[in-house]
Amino acid sequence: MYTRVSLDTEGEALGVARQEQECRDLAARSGFDVVAVFTDNDTGASTRSRKKARPQYAAMLDRARAGEFGVIVAYSNSRLTRRPLELEEIIALYERYGVRFATVVSGNDDLSTADGRMVARIKASVDATEVERTAERVARKHLESAREGKPVAGTRPFGWQPGGRELDAKEAALIRQAAADIIAGIGSYTIARQWNAEGVTTSTGRPWQGRVLGRMMQSPRLAGWRIHQGSIAIGRDGQPVRGQWEPVLDQATFDAVVAALNPEETRSRVPRKNARHYPMTGTLRCGVCGSVMYGNAAKYPTYRCSDNVHTVAASVGPVDELVTGLLLRKLSDFTVDEPAPEFDGAARLAEVERDLARLIGSFTARELSAEVVFPAVAQLEQQRDEVRSQKRRIEAAGVGPDYRGVNQAAWDRMSMSARRGLVETLFDAVLVRPATRKGNRFDASRIEWVWRGGTAAT
């Protein structure tokens, strides 16, 4: 016997239990001895199923091929399969091994005749078509919900009350603090450990993991955007859709969080070899040739010149400690002199959005054909997205961290990428001169530095 239901949200297997009883009644009426029961609960059988594998179904076919039984009983044809290709495997199973099939409600197709096989194939085709129609209806429903900005049904999103519309004050405060910490350079794994220590769980009651927290903090939902199929939903007017809920973060803060969690590797002027472990990568340079120095993992980790013609090296620990001390002392009176960029594309953005609205309106009114409208729409959408991206980057830069508040404790909590970013913000370069005396004692006089903007060491 084979039983299956596509969806069992409660996990109680009541559907397959009912199927089994119906199948046992059929077996009793038919004089069959039940030798095995195979069950795939909460598992679909169509090409649209979220779970593609059916381990019990596969095991049943293997044991049928081994000759352990000669009849397979199911509640209906669609419980066995909704895929025409799998039906062909069932037909081959009958032709090669003589295994017959019986169902409670779909009848018994005679696979020994062409007409019987035709009927079975028609049923499989109808089942597959019904699945596709259902999938299309569900897809249309989800699309309409997205265009209207309705919350997604299902698991309660962290930060909101059940229903996903009103904020949960405590969780929203945690998200806002996490955003400030991430912008200041604290990693998502550190925040996750802190939340777990404080007893904060996900909305499903699980402990936090760094990658899960990082993914949540990059969800546009936090800034009030409706998501559809992994990206911000686009409404009928061609504009991004705002969700029917109160956002946790403003757009500038959200963009700054995303930028902090995805640091661009273009900030440094040199490749970032081994950069995950060494904060001076990108800033430390050889005092002989000017080449970049990289950290090397060894019994005694060292920064070494990348030019193999000569050997200039310094121990990682003392160098990091020296530069960190310089950095923290400098922060008390150091300010970045780079002026904050201003977005000057507002007029261009408004013009592109007006052109888009006019084109879509002309198509809707049947004044212009799709062949004319949509190539132009694609070009305008690309321009709009580029200008919006520029606007968000500039706004996010204005929400950057105030490094003047960084102390030793804050430095210790920072992620390695944030430490490197702060080093690169304050220093143009840190030079390591060759050793002038033998021995393993660190000589601080070998280290020279230039502050950002070309200010000499003091």
Side-chain angles (χ1 to χ4, degrees):
M1 294 192 307
Y2 180 73
T3 61
R4 180 189 65 79
V5 294
S6 299
L7 186 63
D8 182 9
T9 56
E10 302 298 326
E12 296 181 355
L14 298 179
V16 290
R18 287 191 292 268
Q19 287 182 30
E20 181 177 339
Q21 185 57 56
E22 296 269 11
C23 290
R24 285 190 180 276
D25 292 343
L26 174 61
R29 293 193 302 269
S30 304
F32 299 149
D33 294 326
V34 179
V35 297
V37 178
F38 300 87
T39 298
D40 285 311
N41 190 39
D42 195 28
T43 304
S46 74
T47 55
R48 304 300 180 93
S49 301
R50 55 189 173 86
K51 294 180 181 179
K52 301 300 183 183
R54 290 193 288 159
Q56 286 289 290
Y57 178 80
M60 177 183 66
L61 297 188
D62 288 341
R63 290 175 63 177
R65 296 184 188 103
E68 296 187 22
F69 41 82
V71 180
I72 293 176
V73 178
Y75 182 75
S76 66
N77 283 18
S78 63
R79 295 305 89 194
L80 277 171
T81 182
R82 289 180 180 270
R83 307 181 191 185
L85 285 177
E86 285 187 347
L87 174 65
E88 296 305 318
E89 293 180 350
I90 291 174
I91 293 174
L93 192 65
Y94 170 78
E95 292 175 336
R96 294 188 61 182
Y97 302 98
V99 178
R100 295 184 294 121
F101 298 85
T103 69
V104 175
V105 297
S106 298
N108 303 325
D109 300 323
D110 185 358
L111 300 183
S112 66
T113 68
D115 285 347
R117 292 189 292 272
M118 177 189 70
V119 170
R121 287 174 174 134
I122 290 173
K123 290 179 181 178
S125 177
V126 170
D127 286 337
T129 301
E130 182 57 32
V131 168
E132 292 179 357
R133 286 174 179 160
T134 300
E136 289 174 354
R137 289 195 298 269
V138 171
R140 288 195 298 270
K141 176 183 176 182
H142 289 328
L143 178 59
E144 286 304 313
S145 294
R147 286 173 172 171
E148 294 173 10
K150 294 180 179 178
V152 178
T155 304
R156 177 183 72 83
F158 186 85
W160 284 267
Q161 297 178 19
R165 295 177 184 271
E166 298 181 0
L167 290 178
D168 180 289
K170 182 179 179 180
E171 292 180 353
L174 286 169
I175 291 174
R176 294 188 185 106
Q177 183 58 52
D181 289 343
I182 288 170
I183 293 171
I186 298 171
S188 58
Y189 283 81
T190 300
I191 297 171
R193 287 195 296 270
Q194 178 181 336
W195 282 12
N196 289 334
E198 295 173 355
V200 179
T201 65
T202 67
S203 60
T204 58
R206 293 185 175 90
W208 283 97
Q209 298 179 5
R211 60 182 176 80
V212 174
L213 189 145
R215 188 165 59 243
M216 179 197 70
M217 294 300 299
Q218 295 180 79
S219 171
R221 189 186 209 283
L222 296 181
W225 298 107
R226 177 57 158 87
I227 306 300
H228 181 62
Q229 295 183 343
S231 58
I232 296 176
I234 302 299
R236 295 184 182 279
D237 59 355
Q239 299 299 311
V241 177
R242 301 295 300 187
Q244 297 179 8
W245 57 80
E246 183 180 355
V248 180
L249 304 176
D250 61 74
Q251 188 64 52
T253 301
F254 173 74
D255 291 337
V257 169
V258 173
L261 290 173
N262 299 277
E264 296 183 0
E265 294 298 314
T266 57
R267 185 172 186 177
S268 175
R269 297 178 296 278
V270 298
R272 293 179 176 273
K273 178 181 176 183
N274 290 341
R276 289 182 60 190
H277 307 289
Y278 304 101
M280 294 305 299
T281 297
T283 303
L284 202 67
R285 291 184 174 273
C286 174
V288 173
C289 67
S291 297
V292 64
M293 298 182 72
Y294 294 116
N296 292 271
K299 184 177 181 181
Y300 301 104
T302 58
Y303 290 109
R304 294 185 181 277
C305 177
S306 57
D307 189 335
N308 294 322
V309 175
H310 55 264
T311 301
V312 173
S315 298
V316 166
V319 170
D320 290 351
E321 184 178 352
L322 173 64
V323 174
T324 300
L326 293 169
L327 178 148
L328 295 177
R329 287 194 296 271
K330 190 70 173 178
L331 285 175
S332 60
D333 58 2
F334 182 85
T335 57
V336 180
D337 295 328
E338 297 178 6
E342 295 182 1
F343 176 65
D344 58 2
R348 175 57 181 159
L349 180 58
E351 178 185 2
V352 171
E353 290 178 339
R354 283 195 300 269
D355 290 345
L356 271 170
R358 280 197 294 266
L359 277 172
I360 295 296
S362 297
F363 173 74
T364 303
R366 299 184 182 276
E367 297 171 354
L368 293 175
S369 68
E371 292 80 2
V372 172
V373 169
F374 287 99
V377 165
Q379 294 180 2
L380 287 171
E381 286 178 340
Q382 182 178 359
Q383 296 176 28
R384 178 200 63 193
D385 292 344
E386 290 174 354
V387 178
R388 282 178 176 170
S389 178
Q390 177 190 15
K391 180 174 183 288
R392 289 186 175 182
R393 286 197 302 270
I394 291 175
E395 290 176 344
V399 191
D402 183 359
Y403 286 132
R404 290 171 297 179
V406 174
N407 53 25
Q408 186 65 56
W411 174 267
D412 292 341
R413 297 179 66 209
M414 280 186 177
S415 64
M416 188 59 69
S417 62
R419 293 179 186 179
R420 286 196 308 274
L422 183 48
V423 168
E424 292 171 9
T425 298
L426 298 187
F427 293 95
D428 267 335
V430 176
L431 304 177
V432 179
R433 299 295 184 184
T436 57
R437 58 190 180 193
K438 296 182 179 181
N440 295 325
R441 184 183 296 273
F442 177 69
D443 182 5
S445 65
R446 296 174 53 203
I447 309 301
E448 299 179 15
W449 59 93
V450 178
W451 297 112
R452 175 65 66 182
T455 306
T458 57

